[in-house]
Structures are given as C-alpha cells and as structure tokens.
Amino acid sequence: SRANAAVKGGRYLFEARIVEMLNPVESGRVSGQAMPRQHVRVGFSVQGSPLLPAADSDGIALFDSEGFYNSGRGRLPVAQMRLGRGQVIGVLLNLEPASPNANT
C-alpha cells in the first residue's frame, strides 16, 4: 500500500510484520514454472516516484525483507539475514529540526 499524504515535519514510523511464509514445496509447483518471490519493502519516496520503484530509482529510500537498503545510489546490504515469519521490519523518518538526528 502507499500513503498519499505529504510528510512535512515530525517523526514517522512505519512497520510491517511477516505473518506468513509459504514453502514453495507446499504450493504444488509444476516442473519448469517460476515460483513467485515473497518480498516486503518499507520506506519513503518523493512525490511523483513510481509505485513499484527499482533499486536505482531516484527519490526513494527503503529497506526490504532480504536485508538490503535501496536508494537512488543502489542496493546495499545492511542485515546479515532475511526476515522470517513473526519478524517485524520498520523504518523511521525524523524531520524534527531540533533533534540531533534530524533528516534521517
């Protein structure tokens, strides 16, 4: 899903919990068919950015369930493992100018 309201100041935390992980063996895979990937991405983007941005899209900052940080500069590993069932991924945007961690 995507928010459609502008973020102008304050702190914003968005989280997603992995509630189900499907085992490809259980799905009745037919030989030769590609299996869909389970993937979660949580982050922020600027107005006008694509709904499903590529890893090198300008104006995005997001984290994914495979342990990578994605931005206009590329895809960087930030975690040593992928997310699994029951785990939570979250991202905090801090726009408070008085905060020591402003604009992070």
Coordinates of all heavy atoms in Angstrom, one line a residue:
S1 N 0.8 -1.2 0.0 CA 0.0 0.0 0.0 C 0.9 1.2 0.0 O 2.1 1.2 0.2 CB -0.9 0.0 1.2 OG -0.2 0.1 2.4
R2 N 0.3 2.4 -0.2 CA 1.0 3.6 -0.3 C 0.2 4.7 0.3 O -1.0 4.8 0.0 CB 1.3 3.9 -1.8 CG 2.2 5.1 -2.0 CD 2.5 5.2 -3.5 NE 3.6 6.2 -3.6 CZ 4.3 6.4 -4.7 NH1 4.1 5.6 -5.7 NH2 5.2 7.3 -4.8
A3 N 0.9 5.5 1.1 CA 0.3 6.7 1.6 C 0.2 7.8 0.6 O 1.0 7.9 -0.3 CB 1.1 7.2 2.8
N4 N -0.8 8.7 0.7 CA -1.0 9.7 -0.2 C -1.0 11.1 0.4 O -1.4 12.1 -0.2 CB -2.2 9.5 -1.1 CG -3.5 9.5 -0.2 OD1 -3.4 9.6 1.0 ND2 -4.6 9.3 -0.9
A5 N -0.5 11.2 1.6 CA -0.4 12.5 2.3 C 1.1 12.9 2.5 O 1.9 12.1 2.7 CB -1.0 12.3 3.7
A6 N 1.3 14.2 2.3 CA 2.7 14.7 2.4 C 3.2 14.6 3.9 O 2.5 14.9 4.8 CB 2.7 16.1 1.9
V7 N 4.5 14.3 4.0 CA 5.1 14.3 5.3 C 6.0 15.6 5.3 O 6.9 15.7 4.5 CB 6.0 13.1 5.4 CG1 6.8 13.1 6.7 CG2 5.2 11.8 5.4
K8 N 5.7 16.5 6.2 CA 6.4 17.8 6.2 C 7.2 18.0 7.5 O 8.2 18.8 7.5 CB 5.4 18.9 6.1 CG 4.7 18.9 4.7 CD 3.8 20.0 4.6 CE 3.1 19.9 3.2 NZ 2.3 21.1 2.9
G9 N 6.9 17.4 8.6 CA 7.7 17.6 9.8 C 7.3 16.5 10.8 O 6.3 15.9 10.7
G10 N 8.1 16.4 11.9 CA 7.8 15.4 12.9 C 8.6 14.1 12.7 O 9.5 14.0 11.9
R11 N 8.1 13.0 13.4 CA 8.7 11.7 13.2 C 7.7 10.7 12.8 O 6.5 10.7 13.3 CB 9.3 11.2 14.6 CG 10.5 12.0 15.0 CD 11.0 11.5 16.3 NE 12.1 12.4 16.8 CZ 12.5 12.4 18.0 NH1 11.9 11.7 18.9 NH2 13.5 13.2 18.3
Y12 N 8.0 9.9 11.9 CA 7.1 8.9 11.3 C 7.7 7.5 11.3 O 8.8 7.3 10.8 CB 6.7 9.3 9.9 CG 6.0 10.6 9.8 CD1 6.8 11.8 9.7 CD2 4.7 10.7 9.9 CE1 6.2 13.0 9.6 CE2 4.1 12.0 9.8 CZ 4.8 13.1 9.7 OH 4.3 14.3 9.7
L13 N 7.0 6.5 11.9 CA 7.5 5.2 12.0 C 6.5 4.3 11.3 O 5.3 4.3 11.6 CB 7.7 4.7 13.4 CG 8.1 3.2 13.6 CD1 9.4 2.9 13.0 CD2 8.0 2.8 15.0
F14 N 6.9 3.5 10.3 CA 6.1 2.5 9.6 C 6.7 1.2 9.8 O 7.9 1.0 9.7 CB 6.0 2.9 8.1 CG 5.3 4.1 7.8 CD1 6.0 5.3 7.7 CD2 4.0 4.1 7.6 CE1 5.4 6.5 7.4 CE2 3.3 5.3 7.3 CZ 4.0 6.5 7.2
E15 N 5.8 0.2 10.1 CA 6.2 -1.2 10.4 C 5.4 -2.2 9.6 O 4.2 -1.9 9.3 CB 6.1 -1.5 11.9 CG 7.0 -0.7 12.8 CD 6.8 -1.1 14.3 OE1 5.7 -1.6 14.6 OE2 7.8 -1.0 15.0
A16 N 6.0 -3.3 9.3 CA 5.3 -4.4 8.7 C 5.7 -5.7 9.4 O 6.9 -5.9 9.6 CB 5.5 -4.5 7.2
R17 N 4.8 -6.6 9.8 CA 5.1 -7.8 10.4 C 4.9 -8.9 9.3 O 3.9 -9.0 8.6 CB 4.2 -8.1 11.6 CG 4.5 -9.5 12.2 CD 3.5 -9.8 13.4 NE 3.6 -8.8 14.4 CZ 4.5 -8.8 15.4 NH1 5.3 -9.8 15.6 NH2 4.5 -7.9 16.3
I18 N 5.9 -9.9 9.3 CA 5.7 -11.0 8.4 C 4.8 -12.0 9.1 O 5.2 -12.6 10.2 CB 7.1 -11.7 8.1 CG1 8.1 -10.6 7.7 CG2 7.0 -12.8 7.2 CD1 7.8 -9.9 6.4
V19 N 3.6 -12.2 8.6 CA 2.7 -13.1 9.3 C 2.6 -14.5 8.6 O 2.1 -15.4 9.2 CB 1.3 -12.5 9.3 CG1 1.3 -11.3 10.1 CG2 0.7 -12.2 7.9
E20 N 3.1 -14.6 7.4 CA 3.1 -15.9 6.7 C 4.3 -16.1 5.8 O 4.6 -15.1 5.1 CB 1.8 -16.1 5.9 CG 1.6 -17.4 5.3 CD 0.3 -17.5 4.5 OE1 -0.1 -16.5 3.9 OE2 -0.4 -18.5 4.7
M21 N 4.9 -17.2 5.8 CA 5.9 -17.5 4.8 C 5.5 -18.8 4.2 O 5.3 -19.8 4.8 CB 7.3 -17.7 5.5 CG 7.8 -16.5 6.2 SD 8.4 -15.2 5.0 CE 9.9 -16.0 4.4
L22 N 5.4 -18.8 2.8 CA 4.9 -20.0 2.1 C 6.2 -20.8 1.7 O 7.2 -20.3 1.2 CB 4.1 -19.6 0.9 CG 2.9 -18.8 1.2 CD1 2.2 -18.4 -0.1 CD2 1.9 -19.6 2.0
N23 N 6.1 -22.1 1.8 CA 7.1 -23.0 1.4 C 6.8 -23.4 0.0 O 5.7 -24.0 -0.3 CB 7.1 -24.3 2.3 CG 8.3 -25.2 2.0 OD1 8.9 -25.1 1.0 ND2 8.5 -26.1 2.9
P24 N 7.7 -23.1 -1.0 CA 7.4 -23.4 -2.4 C 7.1 -24.9 -2.6 O 6.3 -25.2 -3.5 CB 8.7 -23.1 -3.1 CG 9.4 -22.1 -2.2 CD 9.0 -22.5 -0.8
V25 N 7.6 -25.8 -1.8 CA 7.3 -27.2 -2.0 C 5.8 -27.5 -1.7 O 5.2 -28.4 -2.3 CB 8.2 -28.1 -1.0 CG1 7.8 -29.6 -1.1 CG2 9.6 -27.9 -1.4
E26 N 5.2 -26.8 -0.8 CA 3.8 -27.0 -0.4 C 2.8 -26.4 -1.4 O 1.6 -26.7 -1.3 CB 3.5 -26.3 1.0 CG 4.3 -27.0 2.1 CD 4.2 -26.2 3.4 OE1 3.5 -25.1 3.4 OE2 4.7 -26.6 4.4
S27 N 3.3 -25.6 -2.3 CA 2.3 -24.9 -3.2 C 2.0 -25.7 -4.4 O 1.3 -25.2 -5.3 CB 2.9 -23.5 -3.6 OG 4.1 -23.7 -4.4
G28 N 2.5 -26.9 -4.6 CA 2.1 -27.7 -5.7 C 2.8 -27.2 -7.0 O 2.2 -27.2 -8.1
R29 N 4.1 -26.9 -6.9 CA 4.8 -26.4 -8.0 C 4.9 -27.4 -9.2 O 5.2 -28.6 -9.0 CB 6.3 -26.0 -7.6 CG 7.1 -25.5 -8.7 CD 8.5 -25.2 -8.2 NE 9.3 -24.8 -9.3 CZ 10.5 -24.4 -9.3 NH1 11.1 -24.4 -8.1 NH2 11.2 -24.1 -10.3
V30 N 4.6 -26.9 -10.3 CA 4.8 -27.7 -11.5 C 6.2 -27.5 -12.1 O 6.6 -26.4 -12.2 CB 3.7 -27.3 -12.6 CG1 3.8 -28.1 -13.8 CG2 2.3 -27.5 -12.0
S31 N 6.8 -28.6 -12.5 CA 8.2 -28.5 -13.0 C 8.3 -27.5 -14.2 O 7.4 -27.5 -15.1 CB 8.6 -29.9 -13.5 OG 9.9 -29.8 -14.0
G32 N 9.3 -26.7 -14.1 CA 9.5 -25.7 -15.1 C 8.9 -24.3 -14.9 O 9.1 -23.4 -15.7
Q33 N 8.0 -24.2 -13.9 CA 7.3 -22.9 -13.6 C 8.1 -22.1 -12.6 O 8.6 -22.7 -11.7 CB 5.9 -23.1 -13.1 CG 4.9 -23.5 -14.1 CD 3.5 -23.6 -13.4 OE1 3.4 -23.8 -12.2 NE2 2.5 -23.5 -14.3
A34 N 8.2 -20.8 -12.9 CA 8.9 -20.0 -11.9 C 8.0 -19.7 -10.7 O 6.8 -19.5 -10.9 CB 9.3 -18.6 -12.6
M35 N 8.6 -19.7 -9.5 CA 7.8 -19.5 -8.3 C 7.9 -18.0 -8.0 O 8.9 -17.4 -8.1 CB 8.4 -20.3 -7.1 CG 8.3 -21.8 -7.3 SD 6.6 -22.4 -7.5 CE 5.9 -21.8 -6.0
P36 N 6.7 -17.5 -7.5 CA 6.7 -16.0 -7.1 C 7.6 -15.9 -5.8 O 7.7 -16.7 -5.0 CB 5.3 -15.8 -6.8 CG 4.7 -17.1 -6.5 CD 5.5 -18.1 -7.3
R37 N 8.3 -14.7 -5.8 CA 9.1 -14.4 -4.6 C 8.3 -13.7 -3.6 O 7.5 -12.8 -3.9 CB 10.2 -13.4 -5.1 CG 11.6 -13.9 -4.8 CD 12.7 -13.1 -5.3 NE 12.4 -11.7 -5.2 CZ 13.3 -10.8 -5.5 NH1 14.5 -11.1 -5.8 NH2 13.1 -9.5 -5.3
Q38 N 8.5 -14.0 -2.3 CA 7.9 -13.3 -1.2 C 8.8 -12.1 -0.9 O 9.9 -12.4 -0.6 CB 7.7 -14.3 -0.1 CG 6.8 -15.4 -0.4 CD 6.8 -16.5 0.7 OE1 6.4 -16.1 1.8 NE2 7.2 -17.7 0.4
H39 N 8.2 -10.9 -0.9 CA 9.1 -9.8 -0.7 C 8.3 -8.7 0.0 O 7.2 -8.4 -0.3 CB 9.6 -9.3 -2.1 CG 10.7 -8.4 -2.0 ND1 12.0 -8.9 -1.7 CD2 10.9 -7.1 -2.3 CE1 12.8 -7.8 -1.8 NE2 12.2 -6.8 -2.1
V40 N 9.0 -8.0 1.0 CA 8.4 -6.8 1.7 C 9.4 -5.7 1.6 O 10.6 -5.9 1.8 CB 8.1 -7.2 3.2 CG1 7.7 -6.0 3.9 CG2 7.1 -8.3 3.3
R41 N 8.9 -4.5 1.3 CA 9.7 -3.3 1.3 C 9.0 -2.2 2.1 O 7.8 -2.0 1.9 CB 10.0 -2.8 -0.1 CG 10.8 -3.8 -0.9 CD 11.4 -3.2 -2.2 NE 10.4 -3.2 -3.2 CZ 10.7 -2.8 -4.5 NH1 11.9 -2.3 -4.7 NH2 9.8 -2.8 -5.4
V42 N 9.7 -1.5 3.0 CA 9.2 -0.5 3.8 C 10.1 0.7 3.6 O 11.3 0.6 3.8 CB 9.1 -0.8 5.3 CG1 8.5 0.3 6.1 CG2 8.2 -2.1 5.4
G43 N 9.5 1.9 3.3 CA 10.4 3.1 3.1 C 9.6 4.3 2.7 O 8.4 4.4 2.9
F44 N 10.3 5.3 2.2 CA 9.7 6.6 1.9 C 10.1 6.9 0.4 O 11.2 6.5 -0.1 CB 10.2 7.7 2.8 CG 9.8 7.4 4.2 CD1 10.6 6.7 5.1 CD2 8.6 7.9 4.7 CE1 10.2 6.5 6.4 CE2 8.2 7.7 6.0 CZ 9.0 7.0 6.8
S45 N 9.3 7.8 -0.2 CA 9.7 8.2 -1.5 C 9.1 9.7 -1.7 O 8.3 10.1 -0.9 CB 9.0 7.3 -2.6 OG 7.6 7.4 -2.6
V46 N 9.6 10.3 -2.7 CA 9.2 11.7 -3.0 C 8.0 11.7 -4.0 O 7.7 10.6 -4.6 CB 10.3 12.5 -3.6 CG1 11.5 12.7 -2.6 CG2 10.8 11.9 -4.9
Q47 N 7.3 12.8 -4.0 CA 6.1 12.9 -4.9 C 6.5 12.6 -6.3 O 7.6 13.0 -6.8 CB 5.5 14.3 -4.8 CG 4.3 14.5 -5.6 CD 3.7 15.9 -5.4 OE1 4.3 16.7 -4.7 NE2 2.6 16.1 -6.1
G48 N 5.7 11.8 -7.0 CA 6.0 11.5 -8.4 C 6.8 10.3 -8.7 O 7.1 9.9 -9.8
S49 N 7.3 9.7 -7.6 CA 8.1 8.5 -7.8 C 7.2 7.3 -8.2 O 6.0 7.3 -7.9 CB 8.9 8.1 -6.5 OG 8.1 7.9 -5.5
P50 N 7.8 6.3 -8.9 CA 6.9 5.1 -9.3 C 6.4 4.3 -8.1 O 7.0 4.3 -7.1 CB 7.9 4.3 -10.1 CG 9.3 4.7 -9.8 CD 9.2 6.1 -9.3
L51 N 5.2 3.7 -8.3 CA 4.6 2.9 -7.2 C 5.5 1.7 -6.8 O 5.6 1.4 -5.7 CB 3.2 2.5 -7.6 CG 2.5 1.7 -6.6 CD1 2.3 2.5 -5.3 CD2 1.1 1.2 -7.2
L52 N 6.1 1.1 -7.8 CA 7.0 0.0 -7.6 C 8.4 0.4 -8.1 O 8.8 0.0 -9.2 CB 6.5 -1.3 -8.3 CG 5.1 -1.8 -7.9 CD1 4.7 -2.9 -8.8 CD2 5.2 -2.3 -6.4
P53 N 9.1 1.1 -7.3 CA 10.4 1.6 -7.7 C 11.5 0.5 -7.9 O 11.5 -0.5 -7.1 CB 10.8 2.6 -6.6 CG 10.1 2.1 -5.4 CD 8.8 1.5 -5.9
A54 N 12.4 0.7 -8.8 CA 13.5 -0.2 -8.9 C 14.6 0.3 -7.9 O 14.5 1.3 -7.3 CB 14.1 0.0 -10.3
A55 N 15.6 -0.6 -7.7 CA 16.6 -0.3 -6.6 C 17.4 1.0 -6.9 O 17.9 1.6 -6.0 CB 17.5 -1.5 -6.5
D56 N 17.4 1.4 -8.2 CA 18.2 2.5 -8.6 C 17.3 3.8 -8.9 O 17.8 4.7 -9.4 CB 19.1 2.2 -9.8 CG 18.3 1.8 -11.0 OD1 17.1 1.6 -10.9 OD2 19.0 1.7 -12.0
S57 N 16.1 3.7 -8.4 CA 15.2 4.9 -8.7 C 15.6 6.0 -7.8 O 15.8 5.9 -6.6 CB 13.7 4.5 -8.4 OG 13.3 3.5 -9.2
D58 N 15.5 7.2 -8.4 CA 15.8 8.4 -7.6 C 14.6 8.8 -6.7 O 13.5 8.5 -7.1 CB 16.1 9.6 -8.5 CG 17.5 9.5 -9.2 OD1 18.4 8.9 -8.6 OD2 17.6 10.1 -10.3
G59 N 14.9 9.4 -5.6 CA 13.8 9.8 -4.7 C 13.2 8.8 -3.8 O 12.1 8.9 -3.3
I60 N 13.9 7.6 -3.6 CA 13.3 6.6 -2.7 C 14.4 6.3 -1.7 O 15.6 6.5 -1.9 CB 12.9 5.3 -3.5 CG1 14.2 4.6 -4.1 CG2 11.9 5.5 -4.5 CD1 14.0 3.2 -4.4
A61 N 13.9 5.8 -0.6 CA 14.8 5.2 0.5 C 13.9 4.1 1.1 O 12.9 4.4 1.7 CB 15.1 6.2 1.5
L62 N 14.3 2.8 1.0 CA 13.5 1.7 1.6 C 14.4 0.6 2.0 O 15.6 0.4 1.5 CB 12.5 1.3 0.6 CG 12.9 0.8 -0.8 CD1 13.2 -0.7 -0.8 CD2 11.8 1.1 -1.8
F63 N 13.9 -0.2 2.9 CA 14.5 -1.4 3.4 C 13.6 -2.6 2.9 O 12.4 -2.5 2.9 CB 14.6 -1.4 4.9 CG 15.5 -0.3 5.4 CD1 15.0 1.0 5.6 CD2 16.9 -0.5 5.6 CE1 15.8 2.0 6.1 CE2 17.7 0.5 6.0 CZ 17.1 1.8 6.3
D64 N 14.3 -3.7 2.6 CA 13.5 -4.9 2.1 C 13.7 -6.1 3.0 O 14.6 -6.1 3.9 CB 13.8 -5.2 0.7 CG 15.2 -5.7 0.4 OD1 15.8 -6.3 1.2 OD2 15.6 -5.4 -0.8
S65 N 12.9 -7.1 2.8 CA 12.9 -8.3 3.6 C 14.1 -9.2 3.4 O 14.3 -10.2 4.1 CB 11.6 -9.1 3.4 OG 11.4 -9.4 2.1
E66 N 14.9 -8.9 2.4 CA 16.1 -9.7 2.1 C 17.4 -9.1 2.8 O 18.5 -9.6 2.6 CB 16.3 -9.8 0.6 CG 15.2 -10.6 -0.1 CD 15.4 -10.7 -1.6 OE1 16.2 -10.0 -2.1 OE2 14.7 -11.5 -2.1
G67 N 17.2 -8.0 3.6 CA 18.3 -7.4 4.3 C 19.0 -6.3 3.6 O 20.2 -6.0 3.9
F68 N 18.4 -5.6 2.6 CA 19.0 -4.6 1.8 C 18.4 -3.2 2.0 O 17.2 -3.1 2.3 CB 19.0 -4.9 0.3 CG 19.9 -6.0 -0.1 CD1 19.4 -7.4 -0.1 CD2 21.2 -5.8 -0.5 CE1 20.3 -8.4 -0.4 CE2 22.0 -6.8 -0.9 CZ 21.6 -8.1 -0.8
Y69 N 19.2 -2.2 1.9 CA 18.8 -0.8 1.8 C 18.8 -0.4 0.4 O 19.8 -0.6 -0.3 CB 19.7 0.1 2.7 CG 19.4 1.6 2.5 CD1 18.3 2.2 2.9 CD2 20.4 2.3 1.7 CE1 18.1 3.6 2.7 CE2 20.2 3.7 1.5 CZ 19.0 4.3 2.0 OH 18.8 5.6 1.8
N70 N 17.7 0.2 -0.1 CA 17.6 0.6 -1.5 C 17.5 2.1 -1.6 O 16.6 2.6 -0.9 CB 16.4 -0.1 -2.2 CG 16.5 -1.6 -2.1 OD1 17.1 -2.2 -3.0 ND2 16.0 -2.2 -1.1
S71 N 18.2 2.7 -2.5 CA 18.1 4.1 -2.8 C 18.5 4.4 -4.2 O 18.8 3.5 -4.9 CB 19.0 4.9 -1.8 OG 20.3 4.8 -2.1
G72 N 18.5 5.7 -4.5 CA 18.9 6.1 -5.9 C 20.4 5.8 -6.2 O 20.8 5.8 -7.3
R73 N 21.1 5.4 -5.1 CA 22.5 5.1 -5.3 C 22.8 3.6 -5.4 O 23.9 3.2 -5.5 CB 23.3 5.6 -4.1 CG 23.3 7.1 -4.0 CD 24.0 7.6 -2.8 NE 23.9 9.1 -2.7 CZ 23.9 9.7 -1.6 NH1 24.2 9.1 -0.5 NH2 23.8 11.0 -1.6
G74 N 21.7 2.8 -5.3 CA 21.8 1.4 -5.5 C 21.3 0.6 -4.3 O 20.6 1.1 -3.5
R75 N 21.7 -0.7 -4.2 CA 21.2 -1.6 -3.2 C 22.4 -2.0 -2.4 O 23.3 -2.6 -2.9 CB 20.6 -2.8 -4.0 CG 19.8 -3.7 -3.1 CD 19.1 -4.7 -4.0 NE 18.2 -5.5 -3.2 CZ 18.1 -6.8 -3.3 NH1 18.9 -7.5 -4.1 NH2 17.3 -7.5 -2.5
L76 N 22.3 -1.7 -1.0 CA 23.4 -2.1 -0.1 C 22.9 -3.0 0.9 O 21.9 -2.9 1.5 CB 23.9 -0.8 0.6 CG 24.3 0.4 -0.3 CD1 24.5 1.6 0.5 CD2 25.6 0.0 -1.0
P77 N 23.8 -4.1 1.2 CA 23.4 -5.0 2.3 C 23.5 -4.3 3.7 O 24.5 -3.6 4.0 CB 24.4 -6.1 2.2 CG 25.5 -5.6 1.5 CD 25.0 -4.4 0.6
V78 N 22.5 -4.4 4.5 CA 22.5 -3.8 5.9 C 22.2 -4.9 7.0 O 22.4 -4.6 8.1 CB 21.6 -2.6 6.0 CG1 22.0 -1.5 5.2 CG2 20.2 -3.0 5.7
A79 N 21.8 -6.0 6.6 CA 21.5 -7.1 7.6 C 22.1 -8.4 7.1 O 22.3 -8.6 5.9 CB 20.0 -7.3 7.7
Q80 N 22.4 -9.2 8.0 CA 23.1 -10.5 7.7 C 22.1 -11.6 7.3 O 22.5 -12.7 7.0 CB 24.0 -10.9 8.8 CG 25.2 -9.9 8.9 CD 26.1 -10.4 10.0 OE1 26.0 -11.4 10.6 NE2 27.2 -9.6 10.2
M81 N 20.8 -11.4 7.6 CA 19.9 -12.5 7.3 C 18.6 -11.9 6.8 O 18.3 -10.7 6.9 CB 19.6 -13.3 8.5 CG 19.1 -12.5 9.7 SD 19.1 -13.4 11.2 CE 17.4 -13.9 11.3
R82 N 17.8 -12.7 6.1 CA 16.5 -12.4 5.6 C 15.5 -12.4 6.8 O 15.7 -13.1 7.7 CB 16.0 -13.3 4.5 CG 16.9 -13.2 3.3 CD 16.4 -14.2 2.3 NE 17.2 -14.1 1.1 CZ 17.0 -14.8 0.0 NH1 16.1 -15.7 0.0 NH2 17.8 -14.6 -1.1
L83 N 14.4 -11.7 6.6 CA 13.3 -11.7 7.6 C 12.5 -13.0 7.4 O 12.4 -13.6 6.4 CB 12.3 -10.6 7.3 CG 12.8 -9.2 7.7 CD1 11.8 -8.1 7.4 CD2 13.2 -9.1 9.2
G84 N 12.0 -13.5 8.6 CA 11.2 -14.7 8.6 C 9.9 -14.5 9.3 O 9.6 -13.4 9.7
R85 N 9.1 -15.5 9.3 CA 7.7 -15.4 9.9 C 7.8 -14.9 11.4 O 8.6 -15.3 12.2 CB 7.0 -16.7 9.9 CG 5.6 -16.6 10.2 CD 4.9 -17.9 9.9 NE 4.6 -18.5 11.2 CZ 4.3 -19.7 11.5 NH1 4.3 -20.6 10.5 NH2 4.0 -20.2 12.6
G86 N 6.9 -13.9 11.7 CA 6.9 -13.3 13.0 C 7.8 -12.1 13.2 O 7.6 -11.5 14.3
Q87 N 8.7 -11.9 12.3 CA 9.6 -10.7 12.5 C 9.0 -9.5 12.0 O 8.0 -9.5 11.2 CB 10.9 -11.0 11.8 CG 11.7 -12.1 12.5 CD 13.0 -12.3 11.8 OE1 13.1 -12.5 10.6 NE2 14.1 -12.3 12.6
V88 N 9.5 -8.3 12.4 CA 9.0 -7.0 12.1 C 10.1 -6.2 11.4 O 11.2 -6.2 11.8 CB 8.5 -6.3 13.3 CG1 8.0 -4.9 13.0 CG2 7.4 -7.0 14.0
I89 N 9.7 -5.5 10.3 CA 10.6 -4.6 9.6 C 10.0 -3.2 9.8 O 8.8 -3.0 9.7 CB 10.8 -4.9 8.1 CG1 11.8 -4.0 7.5 CG2 9.5 -4.9 7.4 CD1 12.2 -4.4 6.1
G90 N 10.8 -2.2 10.2 CA 10.3 -0.9 10.4 C 11.3 0.2 9.9 O 12.5 -0.1 9.7
V91 N 10.8 1.3 9.6 CA 11.6 2.4 9.1 C 11.1 3.7 9.8 O 9.9 4.0 9.9 CB 11.6 2.6 7.6 CG1 10.3 2.8 7.0 CG2 12.6 3.6 7.1
L92 N 12.0 4.5 10.3 CA 11.7 5.8 11.0 C 12.2 6.9 10.2 O 13.4 6.9 9.8 CB 12.3 5.8 12.4 CG 12.2 7.1 13.2 CD1 10.8 7.3 13.6 CD2 13.2 7.1 14.3
L93 N 11.4 7.9 9.9 CA 11.8 9.2 9.3 C 11.7 10.3 10.3 O 10.7 10.5 10.9 CB 10.9 9.5 8.1 CG 11.2 10.8 7.3 CD1 12.6 10.7 6.7 CD2 10.1 11.0 6.3
N94 N 12.8 11.0 10.5 CA 12.9 12.0 11.6 C 13.1 13.4 10.9 O 14.2 13.6 10.3 CB 14.0 11.7 12.5 CG 14.1 12.8 13.6 OD1 13.3 13.7 13.7 ND2 15.1 12.6 14.5
L95 N 12.1 14.2 10.9 CA 12.1 15.5 10.2 C 12.1 16.6 11.3 O 11.8 17.8 10.9 CB 11.0 15.7 9.2 CG 11.0 14.7 8.1 CD1 9.7 14.9 7.2 CD2 12.2 14.9 7.2
E96 N 12.4 16.3 12.5 CA 12.4 17.4 13.6 C 13.7 18.1 13.5 O 14.7 17.5 13.8 CB 12.1 16.8 14.9 CG 10.7 16.3 15.1 CD 10.4 15.8 16.5 OE1 11.3 15.9 17.4 OE2 9.3 15.3 16.7
P97 N 13.7 19.4 13.2 CA 15.0 20.1 13.1 C 15.8 20.2 14.4 O 17.0 20.3 14.3 CB 14.6 21.5 12.5 CG 13.1 21.6 12.7 CD 12.6 20.2 12.9
A98 N 15.1 20.2 15.5 CA 15.8 20.3 16.8 C 16.5 19.0 17.3 O 17.2 19.0 18.2 CB 14.8 20.8 17.9
S99 N 16.1 17.9 16.6 CA 16.6 16.6 17.0 C 18.1 16.5 16.6 O 18.5 16.9 15.5 CB 15.8 15.5 16.4 OG 16.4 14.3 16.6
P100 N 18.9 15.8 17.4 CA 20.3 15.6 16.9 C 20.4 14.6 15.7 O 21.4 14.6 15.0 CB 21.0 14.9 18.2 CG 19.9 14.5 19.0 CD 18.7 15.3 18.7
N101 N 19.3 13.9 15.4 CA 19.3 13.0 14.3 C 18.3 13.5 13.2 O 17.7 12.7 12.5 CB 18.9 11.6 14.7 CG 19.9 11.0 15.6 OD1 21.1 11.1 15.4 ND2 19.5 10.3 16.7
A102 N 18.2 14.8 13.1 CA 17.3 15.4 12.1 C 17.6 15.0 10.7 O 18.8 14.7 10.3 CB 17.3 16.9 12.2
N103 N 16.5 14.8 9.9 CA 16.6 14.5 8.5 C 17.3 13.1 8.2 O 18.1 12.9 7.3 CB 17.4 15.6 7.7 CG 16.6 16.8 7.7 OD1 15.4 16.8 7.5 ND2 17.3 17.9 7.8
T104 N 16.9 12.2 9.1 CA 17.4 10.8 9.0 C 16.3 9.9 8.9 O 15.2 10.2 9.3 CB 18.3 10.4 10.2 OG1 17.6 10.5 11.4 CG2 19.6 11.2 10.2

